[in-house]
Amino acid sequence: MKIVYLITGSGGSFYCANCYRDMLYFRAIKKVPGTTAQAVPLYLPPDRGMNTENAFDNKVFFGAISLYMREKIRIFRNMPQFLERFFNSRPFLKLASGMAGTTRTEGLEDLTLNMIEGDNAFRPEEMKRLVKYLISESKPDIIHLSNALILGLARQIKKMMDVKIVCSLLNEDDWIDDMVEPYRSRAWKMIAAESVYVDAFITPSRYYKEHFIGRTGVKGDNIHIVPLGFDPPGYNKSDDYSRPPALGYFCRISHYNGFDKLADAFIMLKKEGSIPGLTLNVCGGYTADDKPFIASQIKKIREHGYQKSVKIYPEFSGDKKTEFFKDVDVISVPVRKHDGYGLYIIEANSAGIPVVQPATGAFPEIIEMTGGGTTFSPDTVEELASSLKVMLNDRDLRAKLGAAGSSNVRSILSLSNMADGLSKVYNQVLI
């Protein structure tokens, strides 16, 4: 069985759940028995660390710069191929991947709709180039799309190849719901229309399956739940009980992910004085768009006199991530919007660190699987602070939940179990 995974590349300046998800999917695909796997980037090259580890293809199809310029600048609508190749050269695409605008929907609404529908965004010449490359390199049995925002490819590819299409679903609403009307409603309707060209969908949670069905109106008979999994390294949790309790935040540092809510809860706990020496450790990176927001949060903390109790880690991978995990006792990412999974929960639990999350989205479902944390409701700063206070003041509870989370992530949410789930879906669509 030959699988080609079409991914949408991204930059590496912040903890990107979608990038990490793509990496996990490709790792799991490669573990499916009897499978030859290939990952081909679209729009932007993948983060360098991801590419080095996973050997994604060096070619990038439908380069982001030419897509954008054809959409926004009339004189480039019929851009000659030599100019397209120039704009989509690797140096230009790497530059584009680091731009803040790649994480915002503003001004990209029409382009998003075109990519979902496919007819306008994916030019025939580039489609032919992609299909020719796929046939010559791998002759795939299945093409696996990384998300529903590129569903327009399914219909186009099936016109030119005899191949099955599988599509991952997770957090497309993060992008679509930031668009203004009528684009938002049109996007979901287009996804529903294009979904008929997909043989199977895969999503990691019951919550997101139901959410996707509710947004699109599709029947959902071919949506399969395969939890994301990974094989975490071994972490040596610190037993230094002389260190004051430390609260951790592990995600992109943004308003969207609720960093200000955690900062407010931290300030409330410091004011109470019930947890002497409490610190707030922050890891996850940020974009240029996030800088004013982060500055306002640091200013708020400074005005209360707690700036010396905050530590921001400049990197969020490798040794720095390991250091961060060793330095914290509880992790919370109180996102504003309901999350379809929450990989940061799995990562925290794998390191033996319990989490405290709002009882929204897929969080109750994921924490029930791992046993590595608690949820709170209603989703208010006061309730967050109260739940954190319980966890931070109970070392035995932290140890119990941390141990359960670490064990269950390794047994239930392993990469092998994820590969088994993918294998069942792939074999079913090939029958």
Side-chain angles (χ1 to χ4, degrees), residues 246-262:
L247 173 59
Y249 174 95
F250 183 58
C251 201
R252 173 186 165 191
I253 310 169
S254 69
H255 179 269
Y256 179 88
N257 289 325
F259 177 65
D260 55 319
K261 294 165 62 179
L262 191 64

Side-chain angles (χ1 to χ4, degrees), residues 171-243:
N171 293 340
E172 284 83 2
D173 53 341
D174 288 354
W175 183 266
I176 295 174
D177 287 353
D178 278 349
M179 297 195 299
V180 297
E181 292 288 12
Y183 295 102
R184 187 186 311 136
S185 298
R186 289 175 59 193
W188 288 116
K189 289 179 181 177
M190 285 182 175
I191 286 176
E194 296 298 321
S195 67
V196 299
Y197 300 98
V198 175
D199 297 284
F201 289 100
I202 295 175
T203 190
S205 67
R206 294 190 307 272
Y207 162 78
Y208 199 72
K209 175 179 179 177
E210 295 166 0
H211 182 71
F212 185 80
I213 291 172
R215 287 300 184 94
T216 60
V218 300
K219 290 183 178 180
D221 296 343
N222 65 340
I223 302 179
H224 306 267
I225 299 173
V226 179
L228 291 169
F230 74 117
D231 294 331
Y235 291 104
N236 297 316
K237 196 76 179 78
S238 174
D239 292 326
D240 182 9
Y241 295 135
S242 65
R243 174 177 60 77

Side-chain angles (χ1 to χ4, degrees), residues 241 391-403:
Y241 295 135
M391 188 76 77
L392 288 164
N393 277 324
D394 193 333
R395 182 179 291 128
D396 291 339
L397 177 62
R398 296 200 305 270
K400 176 184 175 181
L401 296 178

Side-chain angles (χ1 to χ4, degrees), residues 50-66:
M50 289 173 58
N51 196 37
T52 300
E53 183 176 355
N54 293 279
F56 293 167
D57 278 20
N58 288 321
K59 288 182 177 293
V60 177
F61 291 88
F62 306 108
I65 297 177
S66 61

